[in-house]
Each structure stands twice: as structure tokens, then as C-alpha cells.
């Protein structure tokens, strides 16, 4: 069998196995997302997997760069990647997506045991940074915009007691519209 035939067979198998499962999402015929854990669980994470042309003879590309994973520390992402890479090496040459996803589900607690949710602002880190073990990721705190007293008074004058603009503040006057546009009557 060629790599393309293997991919098509595995794709059909994945579609039938995960049909109706909200944890699995097919982004394209060679790219998938799989959520490990429940959405509201702080120890859940999202795997993005894409197949190279020579898959399954060569390893799939596994990424943890999804926004869903923004609360996971760099060290935890590196650990998860390391353990998944070990599984990929074990299964190289065979259809491995189901095996990888199920292994990650079964080992979620182990993979996330040292996970401490990151609550401060996080610098986005790509897989290449993870592979290079760059530990000099700077975390910058976002500054709030400072308003002058006059700006604050003006803003308060336009808002209600909840700080919201009143309904219709940006509506266009219909009378003005009828004078400026449309057909002219004789």
C-alpha cells in the first residue's frame, strides 16, 4: 500500500470512530484537533496533529500551540511533547492516530501532574521554541490605558450607572438619512 492509501484508510477509520464526538475535529483530510479532557477541566489540553505526505512512514506533526492551551506552562507542553514523541517512535510505520489519542486520554493525569495553571499574561510560544528548550520566554504585563480627569468625566457623562453606553448611542437619525440620500421627489 502507498502512503496515500494508508492515510485514506486511517482517515475513514477516524471518521467512523469519532463520529459525533465533540473532542475530535477534522480540520482537513490531513489535519486534526483532539481535546484530551473536558472543556471545563483545567488539566485538559488540545492536540493539533497534521500528517506529512509520507505519513505513517514518517512522524506526524504534533502541536500544542492552540489558544485552548494558553494556560499550560512551557515545561508541561515540553513534557507532553516528549511523551507523545516516544509513542510516535513506538508506532512509526503504522496508523497511529487512534492509538495516540487514546494513549493521551488514558495518561492525561500523568501528563498533567505537574501542571500549574498560568494565570498571568502569557507570551505565545511555538513548537520550535519548545523543541529548542528556550527558557528565556519573557512574560510582559499589559498596561492599562491611563485617562485624564477630563476624559473620565466625558466618558462618565456618556455612560449609565453600569458604565455602558446608552441604547442607540450610535444610531443614525432617519430624518437626516432621508434628506441626504435616496431619490429626490418632484
Amino acid at each position: 500500500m502507498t502512503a496515500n492509501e494508508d492515510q485514506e484508510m486511517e482517515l475513514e477509520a477516524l471518521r467512523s470512530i469519532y463520529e459525533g464526538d465533540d473532542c475530535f475535529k477534522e480540520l482537513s483530510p490531513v489535519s486534526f484537533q483532539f481535546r484530551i479532557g473536558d472543556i471545563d477541566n483545567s488539566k485538559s489540553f488540545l492536540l493539533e496533529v497534521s500528517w506529512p505526505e509520507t505519513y505513517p512512514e514518517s512522524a506526524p506533526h504534533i502541536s500544542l500551540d492552540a489558544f485552548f492551551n494558553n494556560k499550560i506552562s512551557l515545561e508541561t507542553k515540553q513534557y507532553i511533547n516528549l511523551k507523545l514523541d516516544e509513542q510516535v517512535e513506538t508506532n512509526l510505520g503504522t496508523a497511529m492516530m487512534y492509538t495516540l489519542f487514546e494513549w493521551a486520554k488514558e495518561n492525561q493525569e500523568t501528563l498533567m501532574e505537574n501542571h500549574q495553571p498560568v494565570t498571568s499574561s502569557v507570551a505565545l510560544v511555538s513548537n520550535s521554541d519548545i523543541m529548542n528548550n528556550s527558557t528565556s520566554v519573557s512574560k510582559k504585563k499589559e498596561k492599562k490605558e491611563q485617562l485624564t480627569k477630563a476624559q473620565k468625566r466625558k466618558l462618565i457623562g456618556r455612560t449609565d450607572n453600569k458604565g455602558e453606553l446608552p441604547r442607540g448611542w450610535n444610531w443614525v437619525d432617519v430624518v437626516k438619512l432621508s434628506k441626504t440620500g435616496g431619490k429626490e421627489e418632484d
Side-chain angles (χ1 to χ4, degrees), residues 6-180:
D6 286 342
Q7 287 179 6
E8 287 177 27
M9 285 179 55
E10 185 169 6
L11 179 59
E12 288 302 315
L14 289 172
R15 285 176 178 160
S16 65
I17 291 169
Y18 294 114
E19 182 179 359
D21 188 344
D22 63 340
C23 291
F24 178 80
K25 183 176 182 183
E26 181 182 337
L27 303 175
S28 76
V30 294
S31 183
F32 314 95
Q33 284 184 337
F34 195 84
R35 189 181 70 243
I36 309 298
D38 296 326
I39 288 178
D40 53 354
N41 184 351
S42 68
K43 292 195 174 199
S44 60
F45 56 95
L46 187 72
L47 293 177
E48 289 184 330
V49 181
S50 57
W51 295 340
E53 282 187 32
T54 56
Y55 173 83
E57 300 305 319
S58 58
H61 176 67
I62 300 172
S63 170
L64 291 165
D65 293 340
F67 182 76
F68 186 84
N69 299 330
N70 68 345
K71 300 254 188 239
I72 301 174
S73 69
L74 177 62
E75 293 79 19
T76 304
K77 286 181 182 180
Q78 288 173 332
Y79 180 71
I80 293 170
N81 266 333
L82 177 73
K83 292 298 180 185
L84 286 171
D85 286 344
E86 289 174 7
Q87 291 301 309
V88 167
E89 289 300 317
T90 306
N91 294 298
L92 208 56
T94 63
M96 67 179 87
M97 288 299 99
Y98 176 78
T99 309
L100 273 180
F101 294 152
E102 293 303 310
W103 181 87
K105 280 193 334 192
E106 290 170 12
N107 294 284
Q108 177 187 3
E109 286 300 315
T110 308
L111 293 171
M112 297 295 281
E113 67 186 350
N114 296 323
H115 170 61
Q116 298 296 324
V118 178
T119 54
S120 63
S121 63
V122 178
L124 291 178
V125 180
S126 69
N127 258 359
S128 58
D129 292 338
I130 292 173
M131 296 304 161
N132 294 337
N133 290 333
S134 64
T135 56
S136 61
V137 176
S138 62
K139 295 181 181 177
K140 296 182 181 179
K141 292 189 178 184
E142 295 178 21
K143 290 187 176 181
K144 272 190 158 182
E145 182 181 338
Q146 296 294 322
L147 300 176
T148 64
K149 284 185 179 181
Q151 289 172 323
K152 289 177 184 175
R153 280 190 208 110
K154 190 174 181 182
L155 186 63
I156 289 172
R158 281 189 275 164
T159 59
D160 61 5
N161 62 351
K162 296 178 188 169
E164 297 176 1
L165 292 168
R167 183 171 182 263
W169 67 273
N170 61 348
W171 292 358
V172 178
D173 191 1
V174 177
V175 176
K176 286 182 188 174
L177 248 180
S178 65
K179 290 180 183 176
T180 58

